[in-house]
């Protein structure tokens, strides 16, 4: 187990100390892991207090939802352990006044017992306390043999809506009815790619192989109701949404909101992809999605996965969802209907009309370029592996995708060599990311410019143009041969070609010599430390492995030579 903690037995207390430091509007009840609004005393006679809580490990739930317009207090138990009755009672005493308090309890036996007994004791002290139980889990909705549906991320929607209603001054009975309305209209279903690891046991609660996911799981490390094959995100989104629609009787035409909840370590990128997939599926099912939320609301330690919650709403519930809150973990920004994947085209400068597509006869240039593209496509895995070792692993895929783009655009390139190279630069500029993209675009742009100005149109002037291209790469990237970059293949190639042609060698001999110089230059980079590019951060660790960009250059240069010599 690797975690940023001190001692496993201190995690809850130290987390709360950190939260108090981060959010100075929160206070703690002495002797208890209870966090409450520091202004609780001044509002408790006019506003119903909302109290929630449960085991820790679900952060930001519940302390992150304490604030104006959401919870008045949150009670934290040990990790995945219900808080004690005493702590719940301490929370009730801290925030309950004449307006009374509503306890929002997730449906787990321990929570029901401890919150239930605390409410009983508080009533015996003369406090006006009621409670609701959230059981939004649709995976266990039909289970008769278990304790029933669990309380999951839908609980946060209860906090938000009931919290906004309480802030408006609604009575305890009214706030309770509104909370129950949310509870009766919300459903949640989750998928996990890997289980979380408890800080005390140091063990994962279940294990999944690389191609498996667990569906319908809870937030305490309990396994789900079924296992499935890992599917694309859109298919998983549908697998989550369909049972929720069934369980909640949400039908086409219903206005709803969707909440995508990170169960722990799902990247923001994946959350957005799932949110998109869920929205698309809901829209294609003719549901009116009024709000779409994604983020971490109710996690399960470091579990990788998400839950989806759907809530049927009306304009009242929507207004309470939109009401501002000072609770740190609520996304206050999501107050509009989700868009239809808005896009605007980038504006081309005035007069930059598209060049008409000339008809052209594919000749030697096309054959050579195609040979280079095919060689790069064939080398994809090799370049990926090399760039994985000394870079970020994207070079193989990037070169392959620009090769595809060039193969696609080539038929519309202009007839002349200078024009073709300029268009090639444009294709590369559009289609090749990373560092290689701008460097190769500069290479071909400069070479094209030299050729356009050149009076001759022979191999020697091509070689001179290519040398100018190298100069452009050098200027843009501030690198020289010997710095362990693509220049260690490009420069030997161009220099050898130029020099051999000038000394009277035949074209094919010169080309062969140049290709060999590029290969040797690329291989020699294995003995060089990088002074440019991301490999420069690795120091000695790159030694023994050639530079991927130099190898890529040698590969396409060799393919060009073979094609020209054929
Ligand atoms: P990134 O590192 O941005 O992912 P790529 O994977 O597209 O870039 O390309 C990596 C290659 O780019 C390196 O192997 C190296 O040959 C080349 N490169 C990096 N920086 C420079 C530079 N400043 N000048 C010339 N070539 C460079
Ligand atoms: Mg890279």
């Amino acid at each position: 187990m690797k975690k940023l903690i001190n001692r496993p037995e201190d995690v809850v207390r130290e987390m709360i100390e950190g939260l108090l430091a981060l959010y100075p509007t929160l206070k703690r009840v002495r002797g208890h892991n209870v966090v409450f609004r520091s202004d609780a005393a001044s509002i408790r006679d006019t506003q119903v207090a909302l109290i929630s809580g449960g085991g820790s490990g679900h952060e930001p739930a519940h302390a992150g939802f304490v604030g104006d317009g959401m919870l008045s207090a949150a009670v934290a138990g040990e990790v995945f352990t219900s808080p004690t009755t005493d702590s719940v009672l301490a929370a009730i005493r801290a925030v309950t006044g004449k307006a009374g308090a509503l306890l929002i309890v997730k449906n787990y036996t321990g929570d029901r017992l401890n919150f239930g007994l605390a409410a009983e004791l508080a009533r015996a002290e003369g406090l006006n306390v009621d409670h609701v139980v959230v059981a939004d889990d649709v995976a266990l909705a039909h289970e008769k043999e278990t304790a029933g549906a669990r309380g999951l991320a839908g609980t946060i929607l209860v906090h938000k809506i009931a919290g906004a209603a309480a802030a408006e001054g609604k009575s305890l009975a009214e706030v309770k009815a509104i909370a129950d309305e949310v509870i009766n209209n919300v459903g949640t279903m989750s998928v996990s790619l890997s289980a979380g690891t408890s800080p005390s046991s140091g063990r994962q609660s279940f294990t999944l192989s690389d191609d498996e996911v667990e569906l319908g799981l809870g937030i305490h490390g309990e396994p789900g109701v079924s296992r499935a094959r890992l599917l694309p995100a859109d298919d998983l989104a549908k697998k989550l949404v369909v049972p929720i629609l069934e369980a909640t009787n949400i039908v086409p035409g219903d206005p709803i909101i969707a909440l995508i909840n990170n169960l722990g370590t799902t990247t923001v990128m994946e959350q957005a992809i799932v949110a998109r997939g869920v929205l698309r599926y809901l829209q294609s099912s003719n549901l009116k999605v009024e709000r779409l939320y994604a983020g971490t609301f109710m996690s399960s330690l470091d579990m990788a996965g998400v839950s989806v919650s759907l809530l049927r709403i009306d304009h009242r519930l929507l207004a309470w969802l939109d009401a501002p809150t000072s609770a740190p973990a609520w996304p206050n920004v999501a107050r509009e209907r989700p868009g239809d994947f808005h896009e605007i085209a980038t504006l081309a400068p005035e007069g930059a009309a598209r060049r008409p597509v000339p008809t052209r006869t594919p000749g030697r240039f096309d054959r050579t370029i195609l040979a280079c593209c095919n060689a790069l496509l064939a080398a994809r895995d090799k370049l990926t592996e090399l760039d994985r070792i000394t870079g970020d692993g994207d070079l193989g895929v990037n070169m392959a995708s620009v090769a595809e783009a060039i193969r696609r655009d080539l038929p519309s390139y202009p007839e002349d060599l200078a024009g073709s190279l300029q268009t090639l630069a444009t294709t590369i500029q559009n289609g090749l990311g990373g560092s290689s993209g701008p460097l190769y675009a500069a290479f071909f742009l400069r070479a094209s410019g030299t050729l356009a100005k050149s009076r001759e149109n022979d191999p020697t002037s091509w070689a001179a143009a290519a040398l100018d291209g190298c100069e452009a790469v050098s200027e843009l990237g501030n690198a020289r041969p010997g710095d362990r970059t693509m220049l260690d293949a490009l420069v030997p190639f161009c220099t050898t070609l130029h020099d051999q042609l000038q000394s009277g060698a035949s074209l094919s001999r010169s080309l062969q010599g140049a290709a060999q110089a590029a290969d040797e230059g690329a291989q020699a980079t294995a003995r060089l430390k990088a002074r440019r590019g991301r490999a420069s951060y690795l120091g000695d660790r790159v030694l023994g492995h050639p530079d991927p960009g130099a190898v890529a250059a040698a590969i396409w240069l060799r393919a060009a030579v073979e094609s020209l010599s054929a």
Side-chain angles (χ1 to χ4, degrees), residues 58-279:
H58 307 305
E59 293 65 37
H62 292 275
F65 299 105
V66 174
D68 188 16
M70 285 189 85
L71 300 179
S72 305
V75 195
E78 289 304 314
V79 173
F80 293 172
T81 306
S82 177
T84 61
T85 302
D86 266 6
S87 284
V88 182
L89 186 59
I92 297 173
R93 287 178 182 150
V95 297
T96 309
K98 288 193 190 119
L102 182 70
L103 311 186
I104 300 169
V105 186
K106 298 197 294 306
N107 191 28
Y108 299 99
T109 308
D111 285 353
R112 291 190 74 139
L113 297 177
N114 285 296
F115 279 78
L117 178 58
E120 197 69 42
L121 292 165
R123 279 193 290 271
E125 291 178 8
L127 295 170
N128 186 12
V129 178
D130 208 337
H131 79 281
V132 291
V133 177
V134 191
D136 52 323
D137 172 19
V138 305
L140 294 180
H142 307 298
E143 294 280 322
K144 297 273 178 291
E145 301 296 303
T146 66
R150 301 162 286 204
L152 302 172
T155 311
I156 308 306
L157 297 169
V158 182
H159 296 350
K160 180 68 189 75
I161 291 172
E168 278 181 4
K170 297 245 178 286
S171 71
L172 179 55
E174 288 168 323
V175 174
K176 179 179 177 181
I178 290 161
D180 273 328
E181 201 179 326
V182 178
I183 290 167
N184 293 330
N185 285 286
V186 68
T188 298
M189 177 84 183
S190 43
V191 62
S192 155
L193 313 185
S194 71
T197 305
S198 145
S200 44
S201 72
R203 304 273 272 287
Q204 283 201 316
S205 47
F206 55 87
T207 47
L208 290 170
S209 61
D210 264 0
D211 58 351
E212 270 181 332
V213 298
E214 189 90 25
L215 285 162
L217 49 127
I219 48 173
H220 297 98
E222 61 272 46
V225 292
S226 64
R227 247 169 218 204
R229 228 164 20 88
L230 177 62
L231 297 169
D234 287 354
D235 299 328
L236 284 174
K238 181 176 168 193
K239 267 193 182 301
L240 296 181
V241 166
V242 169
I244 308 175
L245 295 178
E246 274 170 21
T248 50
N249 293 321
I250 292 175
V251 291
D254 278 353
I256 61 168
I257 65 99
L259 179 137
I260 316 309
N261 169 53
N262 166 23
L263 287 167
T265 54
T266 309
T267 59
V268 175
M269 176 192 272
E270 292 164 288
Q271 292 172 39
I273 290 170
V274 174
R276 167 191 172 278
V278 167
L279 178 66

Side-chain angles (χ1 to χ4, degrees), residues 325-407:
T325 171
S326 63
W330 179 259
N332 275 303
V333 284
R335 291 215 191 95
E336 284 189 49
R337 188 174 286 160
D340 33 345
F341 310 105
H342 296 294
E343 284 188 330
I344 54 163
T346 47
L347 301 175
E350 290 277 326
R354 268 192 94 85
R355 191 203 296 260
V357 179
T359 46
R360 64 187 255 136
T361 33
R364 176 174 261 201
F365 175 78
D366 295 58
R367 283 200 303 278
T368 307
I369 296 287
L370 285 176
C372 297
C373 292
N374 293 339
L376 286 171
L377 284 162
R380 193 180 81 159
D381 294 349
K382 174 179 172 174
L383 294 176
T384 300
E385 180 56 15
L386 283 177
D387 195 33
R388 194 187 60 73
I389 298 169
T390 62
D392 57 350
D394 61 348
L395 187 71
V397 173
N398 289 349
M399 291 302 250
S401 76
V402 79
E404 298 275 16
I406 295 168
R407 289 207 303 198

Side-chain angles (χ1 to χ4, degrees), residues 387 391-392 394-395 398 432-437 439 473 477-479 484-487 532-534 547-550:
D387 195 33
D392 57 350
D394 61 348
L395 187 71
N398 289 349
L432 181 56
S435 302
S436 307
L439 293 169
V473 172
N478 192 23
R484 194 188 155 93
T485 69
M486 59 171 74
L487 287 171
R532 293 289 176 265
R534 63 175 88 239
D547 174 61

Side-chain angles (χ1 to χ4, degrees), residues 472-530:
V473 172
S474 198
E475 283 167 26
L476 183 63
N478 192 23
R480 286 188 313 262
D483 285 348
R484 194 188 155 93
T485 69
M486 59 171 74
L487 287 171
D488 291 313
L490 283 175
V491 171
F493 181 93
C494 299
T495 318
T496 306
L497 182 62
H498 189 259
D499 293 355
Q500 294 208 1
L501 286 169
Q502 282 228 310
S503 67
S506 71
L507 176 60
S508 79
R509 246 189 99 100
S510 307
L511 283 169
Q512 292 296 341
Q516 172 144 11
D519 280 336
E520 286 168 7
Q523 289 315 314
T525 57
R527 297 190 296 274
L528 296 175
K529 279 206 248 178

